[in-house]
Amino acid sequence: MTKTAVILAGGLGSRFGQRTECMPKGFIEVGGVPIVEQSIKKLIAAGVSKIIIGTGHCNEYYDKLSQKYPIITTIKNDNYANTSSMGTLAVCAPLIEGSFFLLESDLIYDGAGLFVLQNDVHNDVILASGTTNSGDEVYLGVNGGGVLQKVSKDKSIVGNSAGELTGISKISTECLVRMLDIYKKGVASGSPDLGIKADYEAVLAAVSVGGLPVFVRVISSYSWCEVDNEAMLSRAVAAVYPIISEKESMQAVRREVLLNPGPSTTRDSVKWAQVVADICPREQEFGDTMQQVVDDLTSFVAPVGEYTTVIFGGSGTAADEAMISSCVPPNKRLLVVNNGSYGARLAKIARVYNIEMDEYKSSTYEPLDIADLEKTIVAGNYSALAIVYHETTTGLLNPLDKICPMAKSHGLITIVDSVSAYGGMEMNLPALCIDFAAATSNKHIGGMAGLGFVVCKVQELQKQKTWSMRNYYLNLFDQYEYFRATKQTRFTPPVQVIYALQQAILETKVETIAGRFARFTKCWQILLQGLADCSLQMLVAPEYQSHFITAIKVPTTHDTTTGNKYDFALFHDIARSKGFTIYPGKLGNIDTFRIANMGDIQPAEMQSFVQIMKDYMRTIGLNVH
Ligand code: PLP
Ligand code: MG
Ligand code: MG
């Protein structure tokens, strides 16, 4: 997979005159967004995790953009005024690793073009379109095999023209090396086409003629344009951009906002990331993908090396079960904190595996008494503590920053179900004194359901090497050891889920976990205002809530005229018909419904849901503001 892109953005844009005197062409807006930023979003959606921008004229614009998108690196071509696109590519070259997409900065294009190049069997491919009549066409001459031979604005000299250059290509390392070599020689010999003023496409043609074939992939109806001058910009706004928007909208998946506590709403880019070529998961290429995923999952919460991540095909409960059944030393005792359904589940797993265990029970909606928990730990003969970070049952966040260091001070192994906390809030496992933390692909991290994983402190994990196995498929040490040696999982991994997770990780890096927590908090505040407007009560006081789940006590009013009273099924159906899925919750004898802030929820969507909730609550006699 191509995961790097290079954008050539050194040019003066002089054909625009005044408009680009103090601004690079890429920052011209179409549809309210700078065209280069639209390109960046498309590249990210296509799985590109590193974008190198070769700058020159007004480079500070791009430097600023790189602060907004942490995956962008800028590098300036200091000689931009005397060179052309090849000069800028040469400046970018030292930063490029592996195959890359090469794009010009002034392009508006259908993102499907990147999918086409990604899936093209050839390593070096240049994307061509049919006739655009743009007024600045560059024609691509090919031989009978579709291999690039000549590039020119003069159609009469290119021979057999396959189509027009779009400015979007996929290039291999070998091709880049040859391009740089040809350019170097061209500069030395003062060549007019391949020297200091060379365009990259001319050099690409020289590589292709010189023996490394560059294939021209023609999509005759491809929608794209460049904006070199005012006339092109007018055409872009009036004719090209609307068509691209329409074509892209044809691939939009119907939006369902899941306000249930996971699986959560995923982005289309994550859904589409599963649509990839089939691969045997024992191939090196897939092993490299898994290694990257494993390292990325670790790096969000702990230093890679000191910690590692062990993955299993399965849900969050599989990760919980792997931890509980693997991490308690043989014949040693476990203490499980149970202050909600997921704590109860950890205890149940321990029971099934006949692990010696006690439950420490605490209120499901009030903070637990840490001093009392410590007394229990001191009084018992425990080797490990298991606890849920965020109790998804109620939205209660357990203060692990105090609990786990306390447990560690008594020598316990700390085992944490962080299924509904991981990726939603910043966590630092070493600082929190957490040895093992379980999570899943489909909650805050934003991937598809199907992968459970445990972030493990390597030193603690290695102790399990000599322990007798209580489990098989879910054995943490065996899975770790086999992966470490082979970059393979012992058994078939959920291949497509891993590709989706890779995309979700990329988008998490772009948003940042702090940014994600801020977005969830914003949604949560909108919800809280809506609840206050309806005089609805929450189960947990706001200061103890995670911001990821809010449990709301069901109203007991009824409408005096109609007699209507609260009916979850009806409320659910109304919300669902409008694209929102809500979830019931019963805690002992307390009846609640639960609203989650997980996955790709946006504040405007929470606002829409609040309106639906208010409309419904009015029908059952609540006094709604
Ligand atoms: N633990 C917690 C805290 C959860 O919130 C969940 C799911 O909501 C799970 C475990 C179980 O995850 P799964 O349903 O993926 O098995
Ligand atoms: Mg042009
Ligand atoms: Mg141009």
Side-chain angles (χ1 to χ4, degrees), residues 261-263 314-320 342-343 345-346 388-393 417-421 438 440 442-443 449-451 594 598:
S315 75
T317 306
D320 280 342
Y342 294 102
R345 188 177 294 180
L346 297 179
V388 175
Y389 203 159
H390 168 225
E391 244 311 339
T392 324
T393 334
D417 170 344
S418 65
V419 170
S420 63
T440 150
N442 76 279
K443 284 200 161 61
L451 197 95
R594 289 183 284 167
M598 286 185 176

Side-chain angles (χ1 to χ4, degrees), residues 113-427:
L114 298 172
F115 183 82
V116 168
L117 290 185
Q118 193 75 273
N119 283 281
D120 197 289
V121 293
H122 302 296
N123 296 332
D124 296 293
V125 196
I126 185 163
L127 192 64
S129 74
T131 305
T132 62
N133 297 316
S134 74
D136 196 34
E137 299 90 329
V138 174
Y139 298 99
L140 300 173
V142 293
N143 67 14
V147 173
L148 184 64
Q149 304 291 307
K150 180 123 188 95
V151 175
S152 177
K153 288 192 178 182
D154 181 352
K155 199 173 184 179
S156 68
I157 65 164
V158 296
N160 176 26
S161 168
E164 296 179 19
L165 172 82
T166 61
I168 308 172
S169 310
K170 179 176 76 172
I171 294 177
S172 66
T173 308
E174 192 186 345
C175 182
L176 176 64
V177 168
R178 292 191 186 208
M179 287 175 86
L180 294 170
D181 187 48
I182 289 171
Y183 181 55
K184 198 170 146 196
K185 288 179 181 149
V187 172
S189 68
S191 160
D193 298 334
L194 303 173
I196 191 82
K197 286 275 185 196
D199 291 324
Y200 76 89
E201 62 268 26
V203 182
L204 211 47
V207 169
S208 190
V209 172
L212 183 79
V214 175
F215 290 84
V216 177
R217 175 69 185 260
V218 187
I219 304 174
S220 56
S221 64
Y222 190 58
S223 297
W224 74 282
C225 65
E226 56 167 349
V227 289
D228 281 336
N229 58 35
E230 293 294 343
M232 285 174 162
L233 180 57
S234 303
R235 176 173 164 263
V237 172
V240 183
Y241 182 77
I243 291 174
I244 292 172
S245 301
E246 187 179 68
K247 281 191 179 166
E248 290 183 342
S249 77
M250 287 162 65
Q251 302 198 335
V253 180
R254 178 170 53 85
R255 181 88 172 156
E256 286 287 340
V257 178
L258 303 184
L259 300 174
N260 49 290
S264 45
T265 307
T266 56
R267 296 193 182 155
D268 281 7
S269 47
V270 171
K271 296 181 184 86
W272 285 113
Q274 297 174 105
V275 185
V276 289
D278 291 318
I279 188 166
C280 170
R282 303 216 182 270
E283 286 297 320
Q284 165 88 25
E285 183 189 335
F286 193 72
D288 291 343
T289 297
M290 283 198 288
Q291 184 69 60
Q292 189 61 52
V293 164
V294 157
D295 289 346
D296 284 340
L297 290 173
T298 310
S299 69
F300 285 131
V301 293
V304 176
E306 187 185 347
Y307 282 74
T308 192
T309 297
V310 182
I311 59 175
F312 294 95
S315 75
T317 306
D320 280 342
E321 187 163 339
M323 275 193 318
I324 298 287
S325 59
S326 304
C327 300
V328 183
N331 308 315
K332 297 289 180 185
R333 204 165 182 85
L334 170 71
L335 182 66
V336 176
V337 173
N338 173 354
N339 60 347
S341 309
Y342 294 102
R345 188 177 294 180
L346 297 179
K348 172 98 196 245
I349 293 168
R351 236 174 264 123
V352 168
Y353 283 91
N354 288 321
I355 293 168
E356 285 180 52
M357 183 267 308
D358 293 316
E359 278 178 78
Y360 178 87
K361 288 199 177 160
S362 171
S363 162
T364 54
Y365 51 89
E366 280 174 338
L368 63 75
D369 181 342
I370 299 172
D372 187 61
L373 175 64
E374 184 164 21
K375 270 193 219 156
T376 306
I377 288 176
V378 171
N381 185 22
Y382 299 109
S383 295
L385 175 79
I387 186 166
V388 175
Y389 203 159
H390 168 225
E391 244 311 339
T392 324
T393 334
T394 56
L396 185 69
L397 191 70
N398 283 321
L400 294 200
D401 55 328
K402 301 198 177 67
I403 294 173
C404 291
M406 179 273 285
K408 224 356 97 199
S409 74
H410 297 291
L412 273 59
I413 296 166
T414 48
I415 299 171
V416 173
D417 170 344
S418 65
V419 170
S420 63
Y422 178 96
M425 54 190 266
E426 291 192 287
M427 273 163 73

Side-chain angles (χ1 to χ4, degrees), residues 374-620:
E374 184 164 21
K375 270 193 219 156
T376 306
I377 288 176
V378 171
N381 185 22
Y382 299 109
S383 295
L385 175 79
I387 186 166
V388 175
Y389 203 159
H390 168 225
E391 244 311 339
T392 324
T393 334
T394 56
L396 185 69
L397 191 70
N398 283 321
L400 294 200
D401 55 328
K402 301 198 177 67
I403 294 173
C404 291
M406 179 273 285
K408 224 356 97 199
S409 74
H410 297 291
L412 273 59
I413 296 166
T414 48
I415 299 171
V416 173
D417 170 344
S418 65
V419 170
S420 63
Y422 178 96
M425 54 190 266
E426 291 192 287
M427 273 163 73
N428 180 340
L429 299 191
L432 288 163
C433 297
I434 294 174
D435 297 324
F436 300 96
T440 150
S441 51
N442 76 279
K443 284 200 161 61
H444 294 304
I445 196 75
M448 295 293 153
L451 197 95
F453 58 91
V454 183
V455 188
C456 309
K457 186 167 182 179
V458 173
Q459 199 188 355
E460 290 300 322
L461 183 59
Q462 271 167 347
K463 290 182 185 163
Q464 297 172 14
K465 186 171 183 170
T466 55
W467 300 357
S468 61
M469 282 162 74
R470 289 188 192 93
N471 49 18
Y472 181 56
Y473 182 89
L474 293 175
N475 192 268
L476 208 52
F477 183 80
D478 258 19
Q479 186 81 342
Y480 156 73
E481 190 58 18
Y482 192 84
F483 185 76
R484 204 173 60 85
T486 63
K487 286 198 189 176
Q488 296 171 16
T489 52
R490 289 173 299 158
F491 312 106
T492 308
V495 174
Q496 284 68 25
V497 171
I498 289 171
Y499 282 116
L501 181 56
Q502 174 177 244
Q503 183 66 25
I505 286 170
L506 166 59
E507 297 186 15
T508 304
K509 285 184 186 171
V510 172
E511 184 174 23
T512 73
I513 291 182
R516 191 159 287 184
F517 182 73
R519 172 164 60 81
F520 291 145
T521 298
K522 206 166 178 184
C523 292
W524 178 73
Q525 283 161 343
I526 291 167
L527 176 68
L528 260 54
Q529 183 59 52
L531 297 176
D533 290 347
C534 297
S535 303
L536 286 166
Q537 304 295 313
M538 295 181 289
L539 189 64
V540 177
E543 61 270 31
Y544 302 124
Q545 287 187 34
S546 59
H547 307 183
F548 307 142
I549 288 275
T550 306
I552 300 140
K553 293 186 197 170
V554 309
T556 50
T557 52
H558 68 274
D559 186 283
T560 46
T561 333
T562 60
N564 287 345
K565 55 185 200 311
Y566 179 79
D567 174 352
F568 176 79
L570 182 60
F571 182 24
H572 166 275
D573 292 353
I574 291 169
R576 182 84 212 281
S577 73
K578 298 187 163 139
F580 294 90
T581 302
I582 60 170
Y583 213 64
K586 194 157 172 77
L587 285 146
N589 54 3
I590 308 172
D591 222 350
T592 69
F593 67 93
R594 289 183 284 167
I595 301 301
N597 287 307
M598 286 185 176
D600 190 38
I601 173 106
Q602 298 298 327
E605 291 173 322
M606 185 54 87
Q607 199 71 62
S608 303
F609 169 72
V610 162
Q611 197 51 52
I612 294 165
M613 177 177 75
K614 285 182 170 181
D615 291 345
Y616 173 72
M617 294 302 166
R618 270 193 201 98
T619 69
I620 57 166

